[in-house]
Amino acid sequence: MSEPSERARPPYARIVDSIHARIRSGELGPGDRVPSTRQITREWGVAMATATKVISTLRQEGAVEVVPGVGTVVRGSASPSNVPGKARRGTSSAHEDRQGRSDVALSRQAIVRAAIAVVDAEGIDDFSMRRVATEMNVSTMALYRHVAHRTDLVSAMIETTYREAEFPELGEADWREALEKAVRWEWGVFRRHPWLVQLSVTAKPYITPATMGPTERMMRVITAEGASPDTALEVVTILLGFTDGMAAQGLVVEQPATREPDPSHWWHERAPDLSGPAGRDEFPTVSRVSRPPDIDKIFAIGLSRLLDSLAPMIEGAAGE
């Protein structure tokens, strides 16, 4: 393949090829963990959505699988299959070595962790109990002995994800520093697990003890300034609404309708449409933009301004 055509390939595809090469060379053997999404973002300098696409593609090809409590590992056969899940039941794998084929090896927590790994890699849109069962190499019915239904499983996934994120200690910090720390924590959770963003803006949001805990702590910070619980909840709702909205905007920028997960690739591919004569006439300002927005930078700027604007609402309550 020529160098120009190689550069034209999507970034995720080049990274997939690189990991396949490590498997073929023996650098990564059966049962070895492959680079996580965070490691991929650091090593190749790509967005989290691109890293997620890499893992998803490797799994669809049959090169890797999820082992609950371990992570994503190279399957027992170093040669990937082009058919997702093919040869899974006839081939010894790292999953089977650790978990076995028996339903007895299942547990609620193992199912939850496998489900989180699936949606981290593939998103929540097509998530199903059947998909988790496929990853765990068990029957779908076997899962129902530990989780009641899909909603029960998703609630457990959210609870586990939030608890393991370890909400920061707010300590004796002033209200502004404490709230900023709390909101940045929420932002980090969303950026690591984009599927949570989609669930947070549904008509019937999932509420669990772990998701309510941060709200309670933030409200305590605000009521300590003399505000009523009602005012505290209003402030928290404004802050979390901003965070949810920015995180959702991040999904739009980093994984637009074309499903191409790398924002810079998508942007530059379409830049000629905007910078051409028709684009300049219809969108004279947009056509002069040189790069996609940095969502993390914009979030930080917006949060600072938002906290400024909320100061009278929080501090003014003490004088009422």
Side-chain angles (χ1 to χ4, degrees):
M1 181 177 291
S2 66
E3 185 177 349
S5 60
E6 176 66 18
R7 283 200 302 266
R9 300 184 69 215
Y12 85 87
R14 297 197 297 270
I15 300 171
V16 167
D17 288 347
S18 178
I19 293 176
H20 276 317
R22 294 183 185 183
I23 295 173
R24 288 193 300 270
S25 71
E27 181 182 344
L28 291 174
D32 287 345
R33 290 186 62 180
V34 298
S36 67
T37 51
R38 267 181 276 184
Q39 289 172 324
I40 291 172
T41 61
R42 289 195 298 267
E43 183 173 346
W44 280 277
V46 295
M48 179 61 73
T50 299
T52 298
K53 179 69 171 178
V54 170
I55 298 299
S56 176
T57 300
L58 288 168
R59 290 168 63 191
Q60 290 170 4
E61 294 174 346
V64 303
E65 65 181 337
V66 175
V67 176
V70 176
T72 302
V73 303
V74 178
R75 289 193 62 196
S77 172
S79 299
S81 166
N82 290 326
V83 181
K86 188 173 183 179
R88 184 182 295 274
R89 297 190 178 278
T91 305
S92 175
S93 70
H95 178 114
E96 293 171 356
D97 290 343
R98 291 173 173 83
Q99 292 289 89
R101 294 281 297 278
S102 171
D103 292 349
V104 177
L106 286 177
S107 69
R108 182 178 175 87
Q109 192 58 28
I111 294 169
V112 169
R113 290 188 181 282
I116 291 172
V118 167
V119 295
D120 276 349
E122 301 174 3
I124 199 73
D125 290 340
D126 299 319
F127 175 69
S128 66
M129 298 284 281
R130 183 189 296 262
R131 181 69 186 87
V132 179
T134 298
E135 284 301 325
M136 301 190 77
N137 196 24
V138 297
S139 67
T140 303
M141 289 306 299
L143 303 185
Y144 287 105
R145 300 190 185 106
H146 303 274
V147 292
H149 39 64
R150 182 183 184 278
T151 301
D152 178 35
L153 176 56
V154 172
S155 292
M157 292 158 58
I158 295 171
E159 179 74 6
T160 297
T161 300
Y162 270 79
R163 287 199 182 282
E164 293 184 347
E166 298 183 3
F167 190 79
E169 180 59 53
L170 303 182
E172 300 299 322
D174 62 41
W175 70 263
R176 184 187 175 101
E177 181 182 344
L179 292 182
E180 180 173 356
K181 186 183 296 186
V183 173
R184 284 184 176 275
W185 171 84
E186 183 93 9
W187 176 253
V189 174
F190 280 156
R191 296 297 274 166
R192 289 190 297 275
H193 306 284
W195 52 276
L196 288 171
V197 181
Q198 295 171 258
L199 295 178
S200 73
V201 296
T202 58
K204 295 181 179 179
Y206 291 79
I207 297 177
T208 75
T211 60
M212 288 301 295
T215 297
E216 169 68 22
R217 297 188 198 181
M218 292 170 72
M219 288 179 64
R220 289 179 190 173
V221 168
I222 298 165
T223 55
E225 297 296 317
S228 69
D230 288 336
T231 297
L233 183 57
E234 290 171 358
V235 171
V236 171
T237 300
I238 292 170
L239 288 169
L240 296 186
F242 165 74
T243 308
D244 290 354
M246 284 299 303
Q249 184 64 28
L251 289 181
V252 172
V253 171
E254 295 181 352
Q255 193 169 13
T258 60
R259 309 301 295 175
E260 168 55 55
D262 186 89
S264 61
H265 180 84
W266 176 84
W267 186 275
H268 292 299
E269 185 179 76
R270 285 151 184 78
D273 297 334
L274 293 176
S275 60
R280 287 196 300 269
D281 290 342
E282 189 171 0
F283 310 108
T285 306
V286 174
S287 65
R288 298 202 305 272
V289 176
S290 61
R291 62 187 180 280
D294 183 333
I295 293 298
D296 292 291
K297 178 182 177 181
I298 295 171
F299 168 77
I301 294 172
L303 176 58
S304 177
R305 301 298 185 270
L306 184 56
L307 289 170
D308 287 342
S309 68
L310 290 173
M313 193 173 179
I314 298 171
E315 297 172 348
E320 295 178 356

